[in-house]
Amino acid sequence: MLKIKAIGVSEGLARAKALVIREADLTVTKTAVTDTEAEKKRVTDAVAKAGEQIAALRDETEKNIGPEEAEIFDAHLMMLEDPDFIEGMTNMIEDEKVCAEYACSVNSENFQAMFRAMDDEYMQARAADIADISMRVLKNLKGVADNPLDSVTEPCIVVANDLTPSDTAKMGGKPVVGFITKIGGRTSHSAIMARSMGIPAVVGAGDSLDPVTDGMELLLDGAAGELVAQPDEPTLAAFEEKKEKDDARRAMLAEFKDRPGETSDGHRIIIEGNIGTPADAVRVVDMGGEGVGLFRSEFLFMDRPDLPGEEEQFQAYKKAVETMDGRPVIIRTLDIGGDKEVPALGLEKEQNPFLGYRAIRICLDRTELFIVQLRALLRAAQYGDLRIMFPMISSVDELRNAKQVLREARDLLDAEGVDYNPNVKVGIMVEIPVAAVCADVLAQEADFFSIGTNDLIQYSCAVDRINEKISYLYRPLHPGVLRLIAMTAKAANENGIECGVCGEMAGTPGMASVLCGLGVTNLSMSASAIPAAKADLAAHSYAECRELANSLLGAASAEDAENIFAEWREDAK
């Protein structure tokens, strides 16, 4: 029996035989050529064939998974057709008189190195996209057959060094019940697509996967990030018992899917979903979401060489609003900077990006960019309850300035005779401590609040949550953080506006009751967490939630608060 611990990126339990994907022998030797024109034609033919393969894969992905997941292949086609990418190969053939395979390999390494040199983890992961399209071209040059995933007919857990977006897309509509890879990260496309498809996934297992061979019995735990190969009887029995409990838990939670979010005595809390693409809204509806509390619009701007225009943005927002069919959809305006980059904007590197030129600060400085997005939002608001949310607001002045740009966008639409909804609610993210402290003033000018706990905790505790050396200081239950949330909720309530939470804290098990007790009215989270949040609320009265919140607010330290919460959770079982 072999046990492997790695990084869980998509929760769930799976048991099946291993399908090990071995990389084809694509060894490249630097060979001199005399007929450079013939070699260059080999490149253009291989690129053309790769384009046909990717286009076909895009159509298959759209059919089996969804249109938004298929968009990655549009980006692949753009990369493939980039003159710099093609000329990197043909110029090398012409200048160095080398074979097409060698030119393809070197060109791929050069482009991957460029992406890996970037500071942002998300952009670093795009090197995998270059590797994917280059591998297609190289396989075409060498006449290598396509992926074994094409012929999967029996339930299996895929084991691979890595899975490209193309590989992951092939799983749609096939009996792949999970996968584990040697390398990969939480922000890779394969991880994102695994969550979209709802299959367990584990990445970053390293060389510990080497002993796993085709046909081995595997047990995969996507939440714990664990794999067991060739389990013994006690392990298998324990896994089956765990899966039975997990299935029962999921069945129990499914009962809450279509219920409203409320405490046992009927105190309402609106439970919504966070999304990054319009297609994600479908899963929010499927899981019983009462709206979209956060549409991260920056995902429309990332992983592409250009900026989305007004029409493209309009169609994306319209689709999300129509999917939610009358339920509210809160769309956060462009929130880039910090750990999120948009190459097309050409932003300079900063020493302290989280405290620098980001989010609303960029939009108020580059109003031409901001107005395009606001026009698209106003137009899409005709099709449902679309609400606009400004991120990283630190003062009333910023909110007023942002609302002024919104008025300018309205004026332009009026002048052009373009239809739009002029009565759109406008709210703010409360994620900077001074915004929470001044919430009573901001509440007089905003239609709603949404607390971004990820940044609020980070800024309040002065801790970079991705810095492993100090991550222990990132404490959601720090009494100071809880007081900022309570202060914000109180100001919202006194001014008759909603106060939501859209950070990770909202979907953390048990936290729905805490936030309810603090006075929050809306919670937005990943779609998969929605039923559990509803179940949590339904198990307690509003008075019990208030009592818990008051106990936490009165704690002397984060550790004391965490102990109170742990004991409360244990008593609630």
Side-chain angles (χ1 to χ4, degrees), residues 157 173 270 371 389 397 438 441 507 517 535:
I157 293 173
I270 306 300
I371 285 178
M389 180 164 65
D397 290 335
C438 296
V441 179

Side-chain angles (χ1 to χ4, degrees), residues 160-481:
N161 178 63
D162 192 17
L163 288 171
T164 66
S166 300
D167 293 329
T168 316
K170 289 179 183 294
M171 296 179 190
K174 293 185 172 64
V176 175
V177 297
F179 69 76
I180 182 168
T181 61
K182 284 188 174 184
I183 63 177
R186 299 180 189 277
T187 59
S188 64
H189 278 298
S190 58
I192 293 169
M193 293 174 77
R195 291 190 287 271
S196 296
M197 293 185 288
I199 63 173
V202 176
V203 301
D207 293 340
S208 60
L209 275 181
D210 286 345
V212 178
T213 58
D214 258 336
M216 275 189 175
E217 180 84 0
L218 301 182
L219 308 177
L220 185 69
D221 187 332
E226 295 176 346
L227 177 85
V228 177
Q230 300 291 71
D232 56 25
E233 287 302 320
T235 301
L236 191 57
F239 181 85
E240 289 300 329
E241 182 179 353
K242 184 177 182 180
K243 192 172 188 310
E244 184 176 337
K245 290 181 179 178
D246 186 64
D247 290 343
R249 181 185 69 87
R250 288 174 183 269
M252 180 275 291
L253 293 179
E255 297 177 5
F256 288 88
K257 182 174 73 70
D258 297 321
R259 297 187 191 181
E262 60 184 11
T263 59
S264 60
D265 54 347
H267 181 82
R268 282 285 279 129
I269 299 292
I270 306 300
I271 305 297
E272 301 168 313
N274 294 341
I275 68 174
T277 71
D280 295 340
V282 174
R283 183 155 172 77
V284 171
V285 172
D286 290 344
M287 298 303 289
E290 300 178 83
V292 169
L294 172 63
F295 182 159
R296 301 180 178 93
S297 70
E298 59 271 14
F299 280 86
L300 300 177
F301 292 73
M302 299 170 69
D303 192 27
R304 56 187 296 163
D306 59 350
L307 297 174
E310 179 182 327
E311 188 62 25
E312 181 181 346
Q313 291 188 58
F314 162 69
Q315 292 295 340
Y317 306 145
K318 176 176 178 284
K319 181 176 181 181
V321 169
E322 289 179 332
T323 299
M324 295 310 296
D325 193 24
R327 303 175 185 87
V329 177
I330 297 176
I331 301 181
R332 180 174 68 188
T333 57
L334 187 57
D335 184 10
I336 57 170
D339 59 345
K340 291 172 287 189
E341 296 185 2
V342 173
L345 290 178
L347 301 179
E348 295 180 0
K349 298 292 183 182
E350 297 180 297
Q351 289 186 339
N352 293 299
F354 282 100
L355 303 179
Y357 186 62
R358 58 173 297 203
I360 197 65
R361 300 168 183 179
I362 293 175
C363 289
L364 290 177
D365 182 49
R366 301 178 64 164
T367 54
E368 73 286 351
L369 174 73
F370 199 18
I371 285 178
V372 170
Q373 181 173 36
L374 293 175
R375 285 171 56 107
L377 289 167
L378 290 168
R379 291 172 56 199
Q382 300 174 86
Y383 300 90
D385 187 3
L386 183 152
R387 305 176 186 184
I388 297 173
M389 180 164 65
F390 301 131
M392 208 179 177
I393 293 293
S394 62
S395 68
V396 170
D397 290 335
E398 280 182 327
L399 174 55
R400 288 173 178 168
N401 291 338
K403 290 167 74 174
Q404 174 57 36
V405 181
L406 181 61
R407 282 192 289 272
E408 293 173 14
R410 289 194 185 106
D411 291 343
L412 287 170
L413 291 172
D414 283 334
E416 296 168 17
V418 177
D419 292 334
Y420 70 96
N421 181 358
N423 302 311
V424 176
K425 289 186 176 181
V426 177
I428 66 168
M429 291 275 286
V430 177
E431 50 194 337
I432 300 177
V434 292
V437 172
C438 296
D440 57 333
V441 179
L442 286 163
Q444 297 175 36
E445 305 221 13
D447 294 324
F448 62 88
F449 286 160
S450 186
I451 302 173
T453 51
N454 299 358
D455 273 340
L456 184 64
I457 297 165
Q458 180 169 242
Y459 291 140
S460 300
C461 298
V463 55
D464 180 353
R465 57 193 170 94
I466 63 175
N467 185 330
E468 294 181 0
K469 291 183 179 180
I470 58 172
S471 60
Y472 68 95
L473 294 172
Y474 184 84
R475 315 287 280 271
L477 287 174
H478 191 296
V481 172

